[in-house]
Amino acid sequence: MEAAAEPGNLAGVRHIILVLSGKGGVGKSTISTELALALRHTGKKVSVSGSRRLYPLPGGAPASGACARLPQVGLLDVDLCGPSIPRMLRVQGRAVHQCDRGWLPVFVDQEQGISLMSVGFLLEKPDEAVVWRGPKKNALIKQFVSDVAWGPLDYLVVDTPPGTSDEHMAAVDALRPYGPLGALVVTTPQAVSVGDVRRELTFCRKVGLRVIGLVENMSGFVCPHCAECTHVFSRGGGEELARHTGVPFLGSVPLDPELARSLEEGRDLARGFPDSPAFPVLSSIAQRILDETPVGLR
Protein backbone atom coordinates (compact mmCIF):
# COMPACT_ATOMS: atom_id res chain seq x y z
CA MET A 1 0.00 0.00 0.00
CA GLU A 2 1.32 3.43 -0.97
CA ALA A 3 2.25 5.60 1.97
CA ALA A 4 0.18 8.71 2.54
CA ALA A 5 1.87 12.03 1.95
CA GLU A 6 3.07 13.96 4.94
CA PRO A 7 1.20 17.25 5.42
CA GLY A 8 3.21 19.89 3.61
CA ASN A 9 3.17 22.68 1.10
CA LEU A 10 0.90 20.76 -1.32
CA ALA A 11 -1.59 19.73 1.34
CA GLY A 12 -3.93 22.53 0.26
CA VAL A 13 -3.91 21.65 -3.47
CA ARG A 14 -7.09 19.98 -4.71
CA HIS A 15 -6.21 19.04 -8.31
CA ILE A 16 -2.83 18.68 -10.03
CA ILE A 17 -2.73 18.75 -13.83
CA LEU A 18 0.47 17.82 -15.68
CA VAL A 19 0.69 19.22 -19.22
CA LEU A 20 2.55 16.61 -21.27
CA SER A 21 3.58 15.78 -24.82
CA GLY A 22 6.02 13.33 -26.31
CA LYS A 23 7.33 16.05 -28.61
CA GLY A 24 8.90 19.47 -28.26
CA GLY A 25 7.53 22.52 -30.02
CA VAL A 26 3.84 21.68 -29.70
CA GLY A 27 3.12 24.58 -27.35
CA LYS A 28 2.96 22.98 -23.91
CA SER A 29 4.08 26.19 -22.21
CA THR A 30 1.50 28.17 -24.18
CA ILE A 31 -1.28 25.74 -23.24
CA SER A 32 -0.13 25.62 -19.60
CA THR A 33 -0.11 29.42 -19.35
CA GLU A 34 -3.43 29.92 -21.09
CA LEU A 35 -5.04 27.06 -19.15
CA ALA A 36 -4.07 28.67 -15.85
CA LEU A 37 -5.50 32.02 -16.97
CA ALA A 38 -8.63 30.42 -18.42
CA LEU A 39 -9.32 28.36 -15.29
CA ARG A 40 -9.24 31.58 -13.29
CA HIS A 41 -11.44 33.55 -15.71
CA THR A 42 -13.85 30.74 -16.57
CA GLY A 43 -14.22 29.97 -12.87
CA LYS A 44 -15.91 33.35 -12.48
CA LYS A 45 -18.87 31.94 -14.38
CA VAL A 46 -19.33 28.99 -12.06
CA SER A 47 -18.34 30.43 -8.69
CA VAL A 48 -21.70 32.05 -7.99
CA SER A 49 -25.12 30.49 -7.60
CA GLY A 50 -27.32 30.18 -10.67
CA SER A 51 -28.47 27.64 -13.21
CA ARG A 52 -25.06 25.97 -13.44
CA ARG A 53 -23.61 23.65 -10.85
CA LEU A 54 -21.85 25.56 -8.10
CA TYR A 55 -18.09 25.45 -8.09
CA PRO A 56 -17.08 23.52 -4.93
CA LEU A 57 -14.74 25.10 -2.46
CA PRO A 58 -11.95 23.14 -0.71
CA GLY A 59 -13.39 20.82 1.89
CA GLY A 60 -16.46 20.12 -0.22
CA ALA A 61 -18.46 23.21 0.71
CA PRO A 62 -20.41 24.58 -2.27
CA ALA A 63 -20.04 28.17 -3.40
CA SER A 64 -23.06 30.35 -2.77
CA GLY A 65 -24.24 33.80 -3.75
CA ALA A 66 -22.01 36.84 -3.99
CA CYS A 67 -19.65 35.56 -1.30
CA ALA A 68 -18.29 32.75 -3.50
CA ARG A 69 -14.62 33.15 -4.29
CA LEU A 70 -12.81 32.50 -7.55
CA PRO A 71 -10.60 29.47 -8.19
CA GLN A 72 -7.01 29.79 -6.96
CA VAL A 73 -4.57 28.53 -9.59
CA GLY A 74 -0.87 27.70 -9.32
CA LEU A 75 1.51 27.25 -12.24
CA LEU A 76 4.68 25.19 -11.79
CA ASP A 77 7.23 25.40 -14.60
CA VAL A 78 9.43 22.29 -14.53
CA ASP A 79 10.66 22.74 -18.09
CA LEU A 80 14.04 23.41 -16.53
CA CYS A 81 16.01 23.97 -19.73
CA GLY A 82 13.39 26.23 -21.32
CA PRO A 83 11.66 28.24 -18.57
CA SER A 84 9.60 30.54 -20.81
CA ILE A 85 6.48 31.02 -18.69
CA PRO A 86 7.81 33.98 -16.61
CA ARG A 87 8.19 35.95 -19.85
CA MET A 88 4.78 34.85 -21.15
CA LEU A 89 3.23 36.30 -17.99
CA ARG A 90 5.57 39.33 -17.90
CA VAL A 91 7.03 38.51 -14.50
CA GLN A 92 10.60 37.73 -15.57
CA GLY A 93 13.17 39.21 -13.26
CA ARG A 94 10.97 38.93 -10.17
CA ALA A 95 12.69 37.78 -6.98
CA VAL A 96 11.63 34.65 -5.13
CA HIS A 97 11.47 35.21 -1.37
CA GLN A 98 11.78 32.77 1.52
CA CYS A 99 9.35 32.25 4.37
CA ASP A 100 9.28 29.74 7.20
CA ARG A 101 7.63 27.19 4.88
CA GLY A 102 10.03 27.65 1.95
CA TRP A 103 9.94 29.63 -1.29
CA LEU A 104 7.03 31.96 -1.95
CA PRO A 105 5.73 31.70 -5.53
CA VAL A 106 5.36 34.84 -7.62
CA PHE A 107 1.84 36.23 -8.05
CA VAL A 108 1.13 37.21 -11.64
CA ASP A 109 -2.10 39.18 -11.16
CA GLN A 110 -3.25 41.95 -8.85
CA GLU A 111 -5.93 39.74 -7.32
CA GLN A 112 -3.22 37.19 -6.37
CA GLY A 113 -5.32 34.44 -7.92
CA ILE A 114 -2.53 32.94 -10.04
CA SER A 115 0.88 32.07 -8.62
CA LEU A 116 3.95 30.86 -10.49
CA MET A 117 7.19 29.07 -9.65
CA SER A 118 9.91 28.56 -12.25
CA VAL A 119 13.63 27.91 -12.39
CA GLY A 120 13.71 31.13 -14.42
CA PHE A 121 13.38 33.05 -11.16
CA LEU A 122 16.47 31.35 -9.74
CA LEU A 123 18.93 32.08 -12.56
CA GLU A 124 21.39 34.92 -12.01
CA LYS A 125 21.18 35.93 -15.69
CA PRO A 126 18.10 35.47 -17.91
CA ASP A 127 20.21 34.01 -20.75
CA GLU A 128 22.00 31.53 -18.50
CA ALA A 129 21.76 27.91 -19.71
CA VAL A 130 20.74 25.19 -17.27
CA VAL A 131 23.51 22.63 -17.91
CA TRP A 132 22.63 20.02 -15.32
CA ARG A 133 22.69 16.25 -15.23
CA GLY A 134 19.60 14.25 -14.41
CA PRO A 135 20.07 13.88 -10.63
CA LYS A 136 20.36 17.64 -10.12
CA LYS A 137 17.24 18.28 -12.24
CA ASN A 138 15.32 15.63 -10.34
CA ALA A 139 16.41 17.12 -7.02
CA LEU A 140 15.12 20.56 -8.04
CA ILE A 141 11.79 19.12 -9.15
CA LYS A 142 11.40 17.44 -5.77
CA GLN A 143 12.39 20.71 -4.08
CA PHE A 144 9.72 22.57 -6.07
CA VAL A 145 7.18 20.09 -4.72
CA SER A 146 8.30 20.13 -1.10
CA ASP A 147 9.68 23.66 -0.59
CA VAL A 148 7.27 26.03 -2.38
CA ALA A 149 4.61 27.52 -0.09
CA TRP A 150 1.67 27.38 -2.50
CA GLY A 151 -1.08 27.80 0.08
CA PRO A 152 -4.64 26.68 -0.78
CA LEU A 153 -5.04 26.00 -4.52
CA ASP A 154 -7.91 24.59 -6.52
CA TYR A 155 -5.62 23.73 -9.44
CA LEU A 156 -1.87 23.34 -9.83
CA VAL A 157 -0.92 23.27 -13.53
CA VAL A 158 2.52 21.74 -14.16
CA ASP A 159 4.35 22.54 -17.41
CA THR A 160 6.75 19.69 -18.26
CA PRO A 161 9.67 19.28 -20.70
CA PRO A 162 9.28 17.21 -23.88
CA GLY A 163 9.49 13.43 -23.90
CA THR A 164 9.13 10.69 -21.29
CA SER A 165 12.40 11.18 -19.44
CA ASP A 166 13.46 10.77 -15.84
CA GLU A 167 12.31 14.36 -15.22
CA HIS A 168 8.75 13.23 -15.91
CA MET A 169 9.16 10.27 -13.58
CA ALA A 170 10.56 12.57 -10.89
CA ALA A 171 7.58 14.93 -11.26
CA VAL A 172 4.98 12.14 -11.20
CA ASP A 173 6.60 10.38 -8.24
CA ALA A 174 6.96 13.60 -6.26
CA LEU A 175 3.41 14.81 -6.94
CA ARG A 176 1.47 11.54 -6.77
CA PRO A 177 1.05 11.41 -2.96
CA TYR A 178 -0.55 14.85 -2.81
CA GLY A 179 -3.99 14.26 -4.19
CA PRO A 180 -5.87 13.91 -7.47
CA LEU A 181 -3.41 13.81 -10.33
CA GLY A 182 -4.21 13.93 -14.05
CA ALA A 183 -2.58 14.68 -17.40
CA LEU A 184 -3.50 17.06 -20.20
CA VAL A 185 -1.74 15.86 -23.36
CA VAL A 186 -0.90 18.31 -26.16
CA THR A 187 -0.28 17.52 -29.83
CA THR A 188 -0.25 19.28 -33.18
CA PRO A 189 -2.20 17.86 -36.12
CA GLN A 190 0.57 16.36 -38.26
CA ALA A 191 1.35 12.63 -38.21
CA VAL A 192 4.93 13.05 -36.89
CA SER A 193 3.65 14.85 -33.78
CA VAL A 194 0.74 12.45 -33.29
CA GLY A 195 3.14 9.48 -33.35
CA ASP A 196 5.26 10.95 -30.56
CA VAL A 197 2.20 11.87 -28.52
CA ARG A 198 0.90 8.31 -28.87
CA ARG A 199 4.01 7.24 -26.95
CA GLU A 200 3.23 9.85 -24.29
CA LEU A 201 -0.18 8.25 -23.79
CA THR A 202 1.60 4.92 -23.34
CA PHE A 203 3.80 6.57 -20.71
CA CYS A 204 0.69 7.76 -18.86
CA ARG A 205 -0.73 4.24 -18.82
CA LYS A 206 2.53 2.72 -17.60
CA VAL A 207 2.86 5.11 -14.66
CA GLY A 208 -0.87 5.00 -13.81
CA LEU A 209 -1.52 8.63 -14.71
CA ARG A 210 -5.10 9.38 -15.68
CA VAL A 211 -5.46 11.38 -18.90
CA ILE A 212 -8.02 14.16 -18.51
CA GLY A 213 -7.99 14.80 -22.23
CA LEU A 214 -6.07 15.65 -25.37
CA VAL A 215 -5.71 19.12 -26.92
CA GLU A 216 -4.71 19.74 -30.54
CA ASN A 217 -2.68 22.94 -30.76
CA MET A 218 -1.83 24.94 -33.92
CA SER A 219 -4.94 23.51 -35.51
CA GLY A 220 -5.31 25.65 -38.62
CA PHE A 221 -4.95 29.38 -39.20
CA VAL A 222 -8.14 31.47 -39.10
CA CYS A 223 -7.82 34.49 -41.37
CA PRO A 224 -8.65 37.65 -39.38
CA HIS A 225 -10.20 39.23 -42.50
CA CYS A 226 -12.38 36.51 -44.05
CA ALA A 227 -12.51 33.96 -41.16
CA GLU A 228 -11.47 31.16 -43.54
CA CYS A 229 -9.44 28.41 -41.84
CA THR A 230 -6.27 27.22 -43.56
CA HIS A 231 -4.90 23.93 -42.19
CA VAL A 232 -1.18 24.69 -42.25
CA PHE A 233 -0.11 21.51 -40.42
CA SER A 234 -2.58 18.96 -41.81
CA ARG A 235 -5.82 18.49 -39.87
CA GLY A 236 -7.62 16.28 -37.40
CA GLY A 237 -4.67 14.22 -36.18
CA GLY A 238 -5.29 14.97 -32.50
CA GLU A 239 -9.00 14.21 -32.68
CA GLU A 240 -8.34 10.94 -34.53
CA LEU A 241 -5.71 9.94 -31.93
CA ALA A 242 -8.14 10.68 -29.10
CA ARG A 243 -10.84 8.60 -30.77
CA HIS A 244 -8.44 5.70 -31.43
CA THR A 245 -7.09 5.62 -27.86
CA GLY A 246 -10.38 6.33 -26.07
CA VAL A 247 -9.08 9.60 -24.57
CA PRO A 248 -11.45 12.61 -24.30
CA PHE A 249 -10.77 15.22 -26.97
CA LEU A 250 -10.98 18.66 -25.38
CA GLY A 251 -10.57 20.96 -28.36
CA SER A 252 -8.52 22.36 -31.24
CA VAL A 253 -6.63 25.61 -30.59
CA PRO A 254 -5.97 27.50 -33.85
CA LEU A 255 -2.84 29.36 -34.86
CA ASP A 256 -3.69 32.86 -33.78
CA PRO A 257 -1.56 36.01 -34.12
CA GLU A 258 -3.42 37.59 -31.20
CA LEU A 259 -2.57 34.65 -28.94
CA ALA A 260 1.08 34.92 -30.01
CA ARG A 261 1.02 38.66 -29.38
CA SER A 262 -0.50 38.23 -25.92
CA LEU A 263 2.32 35.85 -24.96
CA GLU A 264 5.05 38.00 -26.50
CA GLU A 265 3.78 41.09 -24.64
CA GLY A 266 2.83 39.28 -21.44
CA ARG A 267 -0.82 40.33 -21.72
CA ASP A 268 -3.87 38.41 -20.58
CA LEU A 269 -5.64 37.03 -23.66
CA ALA A 270 -9.11 37.33 -22.10
CA ARG A 271 -8.66 40.99 -21.20
CA GLY A 272 -6.43 42.15 -24.03
CA PHE A 273 -7.72 40.13 -26.98
CA PRO A 274 -11.28 38.94 -26.23
CA ASP A 275 -12.07 38.60 -29.97
CA SER A 276 -9.22 36.16 -30.53
CA PRO A 277 -10.39 32.93 -32.24
CA ALA A 278 -8.30 30.97 -29.71
CA PHE A 279 -10.04 32.50 -26.70
CA PRO A 280 -13.39 30.61 -26.86
CA VAL A 281 -11.56 27.31 -27.45
CA LEU A 282 -9.32 27.79 -24.42
CA SER A 283 -12.31 28.86 -22.31
CA SER A 284 -14.19 25.74 -23.41
CA ILE A 285 -11.24 23.52 -22.43
CA ALA A 286 -11.06 25.20 -19.02
CA GLN A 287 -14.82 24.82 -18.57
CA ARG A 288 -14.66 21.09 -19.29
CA ILE A 289 -11.88 20.70 -16.73
CA LEU A 290 -13.84 22.70 -14.17
CA ASP A 291 -16.88 20.49 -14.83
CA GLU A 292 -15.04 17.18 -14.76
CA THR A 293 -12.21 17.36 -12.25
CA PRO A 294 -14.25 17.71 -9.04
CA VAL A 295 -15.74 14.29 -9.83
CA GLY A 296 -13.36 12.72 -12.32
CA LEU A 297 -10.15 13.15 -10.34
CA ARG A 298 -11.31 12.49 -6.80
Side-chain angles (χ1 to χ4, degrees), residues 39-296:
L39 284 169
R40 176 72 174 174
H41 291 311
T42 307
K44 295 177 182 179
K45 301 175 184 178
V46 295
S47 63
V48 295
S49 58
S51 59
R52 296 185 180 184
R53 181 177 59 193
L54 297 179
Y55 185 80
L57 303 182
S64 61
C67 295
R69 62 164 183 80
L70 303 179
Q72 294 291 123
V73 182
L75 188 51
L76 175 57
D77 182 5
V78 297
D79 189 354
L80 303 182
C81 294
S84 55
I85 292 181
R87 174 170 180 170
M88 291 178 174
L89 292 170
R90 204 158 67 177
V91 291
Q92 69 270 36
R94 295 274 188 92
V96 173
H97 300 285
Q98 290 272 351
C99 69
D100 56 353
R101 292 180 293 123
W103 287 322
L104 289 171
V106 171
F107 288 109
V108 304
D109 59 338
Q110 290 184 345
E111 297 88 1
Q112 298 189 350
I114 302 176
S115 50
L116 168 66
M117 187 63 194
S118 169
V119 70
F121 297 134
L122 307 179
L123 302 177
E124 292 184 4
K125 300 178 181 179
D127 296 330
E128 184 179 347
V130 178
V131 187
W132 295 349
R133 296 188 185 275
K136 189 171 182 180
K137 291 180 180 179
N138 296 345
L140 181 61
I141 290 171
K142 293 176 182 177
Q143 192 171 5
F144 275 164
V145 171
S146 62
D147 292 349
V148 177
W150 292 104
L153 292 178
D154 298 291
Y155 292 94
L156 177 63
V157 179
V158 183
D159 181 34
T160 65
T164 55
S165 65
D166 56 347
E167 293 163 65
H168 296 79
M169 291 299 302
V172 171
D173 290 344
L175 291 166
R176 194 192 304 277
Y178 291 94
L181 192 66
L184 183 73
V185 180
V186 182
T187 187
T188 51
Q190 63 268 47
V192 171
S193 176
V194 169
D196 287 342
V197 174
R198 191 187 306 272
R199 286 185 279 274
E200 190 72 41
L201 293 173
T202 302
F203 167 82
C204 292
R205 287 196 295 271
K206 286 185 175 181
V207 300
L209 186 59
R210 179 183 180 272
V211 178
I212 303 169
L214 189 143
V215 172
E216 184 180 277
N217 195 25
M218 308 181 196
S219 183
F221 171 72
V222 180
C223 176
H225 304 293
C226 67
E228 180 180 348
C229 182
T230 301
H231 295 281
V232 182
F233 300 125
S234 184
R235 63 182 299 179
E239 190 168 6
E240 176 61 27
L241 175 61
R243 184 164 49 248
H244 179 74
T245 56
V247 170
F249 184 70
L250 300 184
S252 300
V253 181
L255 286 164
D256 178 13
E258 291 187 329
L259 173 58
R261 184 180 168 192
S262 74
L263 295 168
E264 286 289 320
E265 298 177 0
R267 296 171 61 187
D268 190 332
L269 184 69
R271 293 173 177 169
F273 305 93
D275 296 326
S276 156
F279 174 64
V281 181
L282 292 163
S283 295
S284 174
I285 292 169
Q287 183 63 64
R288 290 188 64 175
I289 291 174
L290 284 164
D291 287 343
E292 295 297 327
T293 46
V295 174

